Amino acid sequence: EDKVVQSPLSLVVHEGDTVTLNCSYEVTNFRSLLWYKQEKKAPTFLFMLTSSGIEKKSGRLSSILDKKELSSILNITATQTGDSAIYLCAAGWDSNYQLIWGAGTKLIIKP
Amino acid sequence: DGGITQSPKYLFRKEGQNVTLSCEQNLNHDAMYWYRQDPGQGLRLIYYSQIVNDFQKGDIAEGYSVSREKKESFPLTVTSAQKNPTAFYLCASSPGGTSNIQYFGAGTRLSVL
């Protein structure tokens, strides 16, 4: 059965800390791994990683795909209170447009 | 402004009532999706459509129905057969092709009176 597992489910850190969020996947005909940030409402797209793009960076956020270990990490450095959110990971298939979603990591940044 | 519009933001359903959630996109995307999100859980797929006049059931389609008569619109009806409808409902769209990226509306929070 295809699945995506995120860890930890929740995390509380202080402002300025660095955090690493984990995502592992078992997906037949895997094509891509996506990260989203969800604050109060709509998830917003952060990164998409594929075999041709296994590392992405945007400001304090970066993500790496490890195709050997079937996993990905999302790093946030110098965290700010505005980084508090649920971070969702999803895996996409090669043959259709669907995504399979992890349960999310709830990140709380304390001032 | 291009995007996905969901309405209403909040909706209350009485027992035995059907309610319809609206989702409109002006991104010219082929694929559209409906998800249900419960506290502490990820997104669960209700229905999806890859082309006009065609749609497929997702993992939790029972008690829900959809239509796709226009490319821009993908309304979701929560029927009285759905016994636990209280949740946050998200609509998404995707250009398809080689991109798996989905873009989301702001969601509708449905509660039962």
Side-chain angles (χ1 to χ4, degrees), chain B residues 46-107:
Chain B
I46 305 173
Y47 270 97
Y48 67 101
S49 167
Q50 296 183 348
I51 197 168
V52 174
N53 292 324
D54 187 47
F55 48 82
Q56 282 78 43
K57 292 182 180 180
D59 300 319
I60 56 165
E62 187 173 345
Y64 301 97
S65 65
V66 293
S67 62
R68 186 89 187 274
E69 296 175 3
K70 298 187 299 182
K71 188 175 186 177
E72 305 79 25
S73 179
F74 192 40
L76 173 74
T77 296
V78 184
T79 74
S80 56
Q82 173 48 249
K83 296 306 178 191
N84 182 22
T86 297
F88 188 50
Y89 291 86
L90 285 161
C91 177
S93 71
S94 169
T98 56
S99 173
N100 287 122
I101 301 173
Q102 294 182 11
Y103 300 89
F104 286 84

Side-chain angles (χ1 to χ4, degrees), chain A residues 70-82:
Chain A
L70 305 184
S71 65
S72 175
I73 59 170
L74 176 69
N75 276 326
I76 309 175
T77 60
T79 52
Q80 302 169 358
T81 54

Side-chain angles (χ1 to χ4, degrees), chain A residues 36-39 83-88 103-107, chain B residues 37:
Chain A
Y36 285 79
K37 177 183 181 182
Q38 185 179 25
E39 296 177 81
D83 295 326
S84 294
I86 296 173
Y87 289 84
L88 295 164
T105 293
K106 184 173 184 178
L107 177 62
Chain B
Q37 187 175 34

Side-chain angles (χ1 to χ4, degrees), chain A residues 1-3 5 7 15 21 26 40 42 44 50-51 53 56 63 66 70 74 76 88-89 96 98-99:
Chain A
E1 182 190 344
D2 295 323
K3 62 181 179 182
V5 177
S7 64
E15 209 168 14
L21 310 183
E26 291 178 32
K40 295 269 174 35
T44 52
T50 66
S51 55
K56 294 284 173 79
S63 184
D66 187 336
L70 305 184
L74 176 69
I76 309 175
L88 295 164
C89 165
N96 66 43
Q98 290 183 65
L99 294 174

